[in-house]
Amino acid sequence: MNHTTYVQLLNASCGAFLLAGVLVLWRRDLAAIVRLFALQGAALALLIAVLGVHEGEAGVVALAAGIGALRTLLLPWLLRRALAGDGTSRETQPLVNVAASLTVAALLGLLCYAVTRPIVRLDPTPATHAVPVALTVVLIGLFVLVTRRRAVSQIVGFLLMDNGITAVAFLTASGVPLVVELGVSLDVLLAVLVLQVLTARMRAAFGDTDLDDLRELRD
Amino acid sequence: MTGILGAALQVVLVAAGAPLLVGLMRQVRARAEGRAGAGVLQPWRDLRKLLRKEPITPHGTGPLFRMAPLVLAGSTLVAAAVIPLVTTRSPLDGAADLFAVTALLALGTVALALAALDTGTAFGGMGASREMVVLALVEPTILLSTFALSVRAGSTNLGAIVTATLDDPQRAVFPASLLALVALVVVVIAEAGRMPVDNPSTHLELTMVHEAMVLEYAGPDLALVEWASAMRLTVLLGLLANLFVPWGITGDSLALLPAGIAAVAAKVAAAGAALAAAEVFMAKLRMFRVPELLAGSFVLALFAVASSFFLVAP
């Protein structure tokens, strides 16, 4: 793979990664949010594969395949299952309205560009130039996590953060050791499984997954 | 020489082809809905019918009402001459600036909105206020998304942007271009008054935007307004196609002009048919959801600009 192709592919996958993250804020339909999350997983897998091929490390490419399978197939499938029995399929009333949260996303993006400038200056390669994009996705994930009310969209926010953190790790240091990455992936999977069970329980108990309605403890 | 001929050809092509594009889009829509459709030439027949009628204006309207269709059509024709559709060597190249084109298109919209206010009817005022809401949100996005493209070309001249993309085709898949493309598609749809933002074929007061403004026009004036809005759609689709898929556009060569015409006609027809096909499956957004859509495209345009500055290939 020559240098130009590498840069183009890297930038294109970063663009898709960011685009999916921003569109999550924009859509209200929970099924569409899950689809966008799967798309972002695919972009992340492509990003890691491109980095792996560029550095000629077979392990990283294999890791990309694993991450792709986990984040484009398994986690969205689990989320869809959590969604299936849910009567309300829309994010009805986010705490911050959609137009305002898109504006906040723009500000978060600018903040990330400002904050990561020293990191980029340390070692200006095409990969480190893309670090602000990954960090923006982390902050957008956090924002989704704190402003959405449905359990499923909060899980997606958490997973967006994790996608962003993984992307930052691979862009700055060409990834963490394999064992750590496997541990993190397993952790995320377990967290989603637990949250899925929790969502099902919540729906059984309250008939709804609007977390703001959970005002009192019950036995 | 090529430039003058090319610019003249662009004006003729847009003027003659715009109703055909609208006809094609209606035909695609009709076929997709299982109707036979009226044929591609129907908009031209409608225009001929309207032009034969007696010009009348509502009681109490002033010169503004009579001038607005002329301003709308005139500004769109100037934009058609200026932007790179058939050739990048326009004699008006100095005016082929992104700001100038955006301002030209906005001038027509504002003239029509003022004319709608001039009638003093409830519908006119409502349509004008809705159109201004859309316009105010669309303009910054158009400017920002074309900025993202101009950063790479080092100039806000549309001809220079198109030439730069032709010279280096790989920049078409640059993330900034992808983000800017999505943003620009949304604003072109909003600016041209197409489906998710405005339904061009409705007469229901809850949903009208453009229709509410032109409700008081009749005869030749209505023909002019209809023709001008078809031309706006053509110009915007042509600009979109040439900014992102510039292949086939003519440079200096005179012999390649027919190829340039064929290329731009094919591209605009394909874009129009795709838009019409997508519209069949789409419902119009409620008016208060429109700012959300446009805010989304604004954010994408902002990220496009940011990434064209920061994701620089060393």
Side-chain angles (χ1 to χ4, degrees):
Chain A
M1 183 159 50
N2 69 31
H3 188 71
T4 324
T5 324
Y6 160 64
V7 173
Q8 291 289 336
L9 273 176
L10 184 73
N11 285 345
S13 54
C14 282
F17 190 65
L18 181 62
L19 187 62
V22 173
L23 290 183
V24 164
L25 275 179
W26 181 48
R27 294 302 303 260
R28 283 165 191 258
D29 190 6
L30 291 179
I33 288 179
V34 173
R35 271 202 301 278
L36 280 169
F37 168 69
L39 184 73
Q40 193 182 39
L44 179 65
L46 176 68
L47 176 68
I48 296 170
V50 167
L51 285 170
V53 171
H54 178 65
E55 281 154 21
E57 286 184 39
V60 176
V61 178
L63 204 58
I67 287 178
L70 177 70
R71 283 165 203 263
T72 57
L73 302 174
L74 190 56
L75 292 180
W77 178 69
L78 286 173
L79 287 175
R80 264 193 287 274
R81 268 190 41 180
L83 211 61
D86 207 344
T88 53
S89 66
R90 298 180 79 77
E91 177 68 48
T92 38
Q93 200 80 82
L95 291 178
V96 178
N97 73 32
V98 174
S101 53
L102 285 166
T103 317
V104 169
L107 293 177
L108 289 178
L110 294 182
L111 178 72
C112 288
Y113 283 121
V115 165
T116 49
R117 276 175 68 189
I119 300 177
V120 175
R121 218 179 296 137
L122 272 180
D123 180 22
T125 62
T128 44
H129 271 295
V131 168
V133 170
L135 204 60
T136 308
V137 172
V138 175
L139 291 191
I140 288 177
L142 183 63
F143 187 71
V144 171
L145 191 57
V146 297
T147 59
R148 297 299 155 110
R149 301 168 87 147
R150 300 280 156 195
V152 171
S153 45
Q154 295 197 357
I155 299 174
V156 170
F158 167 71
L159 291 173
L160 284 188
M161 274 177 72
D162 191 65
N163 272 353
I165 291 168
T166 314
V168 170
F170 276 95
L171 286 170
T172 48
S174 57
V176 286
L178 186 62
V179 179
V180 179
E181 181 57 44
L182 279 179
V184 169
S185 291
L186 206 60
D187 241 17
V188 170
L189 182 60
L190 278 178
V192 171
L193 278 172
V194 169
L195 286 171
Q196 193 207 352
V197 172
L198 206 61
T199 314
R201 284 294 174 89
M202 258 164 57
R203 199 167 43 241
F206 304 101
D208 200 355
T209 58
D210 189 337
L211 297 184
D212 278 13
D213 289 347
L214 309 184
R215 295 281 154 114
E216 50 186 286
L217 290 171
R218 302 196 187 182
D219 58 331
Chain B
M1 186 59 208
T2 318
I4 298 171
L5 195 59
L9 272 175
Q10 280 180 191
V11 174
V12 173
L13 195 66
V14 168
L20 296 181
L21 176 74
V22 172
L24 174 75
M25 290 177 72
R26 284 190 196 152
Q27 190 69 20
V28 168
R29 208 185 149 84
R31 282 293 155 87
E33 287 171 347
R35 294 183 284 120
V40 175
L41 285 173
Q42 187 57 36
W44 264 123
R45 289 187 212 116
D46 289 344
L47 289 180
R48 195 182 59 191
K49 180 189 76 183
L50 286 171
L51 280 172
R52 283 180 189 153
K53 292 189 175 180
E54 181 194 1
I56 49 169
T57 50
H59 189 66
T61 51
L64 197 60
F65 186 78
R66 298 302 307 270
M67 297 287 285
L70 297 172
V71 174
L72 184 66
S75 63
T76 317
L77 280 173
V78 174
V82 159
I83 64 171
L85 285 176
V86 174
T87 172
T88 51
R89 296 274 185 279
S90 171
L92 302 164
D93 205 32
D97 195 79
L98 151 72
F99 296 103
V101 171
T102 315
L104 270 176
L105 291 175
L107 178 68
T109 313
V110 170
L112 199 61
L114 285 177
L117 288 176
D118 192 28
T119 61
T121 61
F123 276 140
M126 186 194 71
S129 83
R130 287 180 177 180
E131 184 76 11
M132 283 302 110
V133 167
V134 172
L135 183 74
L137 294 167
V138 156
E139 292 301 324
T141 313
I142 291 191
L143 289 176
L144 264 185
S145 53
T146 330
F147 262 153
L149 302 171
S150 63
V151 166
R152 313 243 88 209
S155 158
T156 52
N157 186 300
L158 291 170
I161 296 174
V162 171
T163 317
T165 316
L166 270 178
D167 290 343
D168 182 10
Q170 278 177 326
R171 80 176 68 223
V173 292
F174 196 73
S177 311
L178 294 179
L179 292 167
L181 173 66
V182 179
L184 214 52
V185 166
V186 173
V187 291
V188 161
I189 287 170
E191 179 81 4
R194 300 303 299 189
M195 196 50 152
V197 177
D198 182 13
N199 186 348
S201 58
T202 183
H203 280 287
L204 187 67
E205 66 261 33
L206 281 174
T207 59
M208 286 192 293
V209 180
H210 181 77
E211 274 298 312
M213 291 198 297
V214 304
L215 213 53
E216 302 291 326
Y217 280 107
D221 283 338
L222 181 60
L224 205 54
V225 170
E226 295 286 336
W227 182 54
S229 52
M231 285 197 300
R232 281 173 78 89
L233 179 65
T234 315
V235 163
L236 287 166
L237 285 181
L239 186 62
L240 189 68
N242 272 349
L243 280 177
F244 293 98
V245 196
W247 293 278
I249 196 166
T250 322
D252 265 330
S253 155
L254 198 61
L256 281 176
L257 272 183
I261 295 172
V264 78
K267 276 185 278 190
V268 171
L275 181 57
E279 279 181 344
V280 174
F281 301 101
M282 229 181 262
K284 189 188 167 300
L285 281 178
R286 279 178 290 176
M287 193 61 200
F288 64 84
R289 290 290 307 275
V290 170
E292 273 176 23
L293 178 78
L294 296 175
S297 72
F298 177 76
V299 172
L300 293 180
L302 186 69
F303 278 130
V305 175
S307 60
S308 64
F309 268 106
F310 290 95
L311 286 177
V312 224

